[in-house]
Amino acid sequence: MTESVKKFKAEMEQRGLFRKITVAVNLIPPPPGISPADLTALHKSAAKSAILMYADRHDDFFEVFMDAALDHLMEDILTDDLFAPDAGFTPTAEETANMDRAKATAELLEVLFRGLAKHI
């Protein structure tokens, strides 16, 4: 577990968010006839929404949340093998055109910023 994920968990504990989730899970009656798996999915969805709303209202928590999410993304989803060049890769014409436009835009912005820097 990364340091940022540990920090996120500690922040959730410190702010009482685990307890609030536990209270909601145990005190809100489940819809009639819902399966245990669907009930868990419903609670997870509600918790996800609640955490996002909390983060939206608390900038300091949002920063901790984003650090943990990005570290998880970079370590577990966007693994190192994704960033290794593939000798057999062939881009589509659309991908090449998009990359060319991105390069042209970056070059234009560099020229603009260099020009602005001279006047600051």
Side-chain angles (χ1 to χ4, degrees), residues 1-119:
M1 181 181 306
T2 64
E3 285 302 313
S4 59
V5 172
K6 289 177 187 175
K7 184 176 180 182
F8 176 69
K9 286 177 73 175
E11 282 290 322
M12 284 195 59
E13 184 66 46
Q14 178 183 346
R15 294 164 187 260
L17 298 177
F18 286 118
R19 179 67 185 178
K20 289 177 182 177
I21 290 169
T22 301
V23 169
V25 165
N26 289 285
L27 294 182
I28 298 172
I34 193 167
S35 73
D38 288 341
L39 182 59
T40 298
L42 177 68
H43 287 309
K44 282 184 172 185
S45 178
K48 179 181 173 182
S49 294
I51 290 168
L52 289 171
M53 286 188 285
Y54 187 89
D56 190 45
R57 291 189 312 267
H58 299 87
D59 290 341
D60 58 333
F61 182 76
F62 177 82
E63 290 175 18
V64 172
F65 178 50
M66 286 305 299
D67 284 344
L70 289 172
D71 281 353
H72 170 65
L73 178 69
M74 296 308 292
E75 289 182 17
D76 299 325
I77 308 299
L78 301 177
T79 55
D80 290 351
D81 59 321
L82 178 65
F83 299 100
D86 179 357
F89 176 76
T90 305
T92 66
E94 181 181 3
E95 290 168 333
T96 300
N98 286 339
M99 187 58 75
D100 290 343
R101 279 194 301 279
K103 286 178 186 176
T105 301
E107 290 169 2
L108 177 61
L109 288 173
E110 183 180 341
V111 169
L112 287 172
F113 286 132
R114 246 187 285 130
L116 284 172
K118 289 178 183 179
H119 297 289

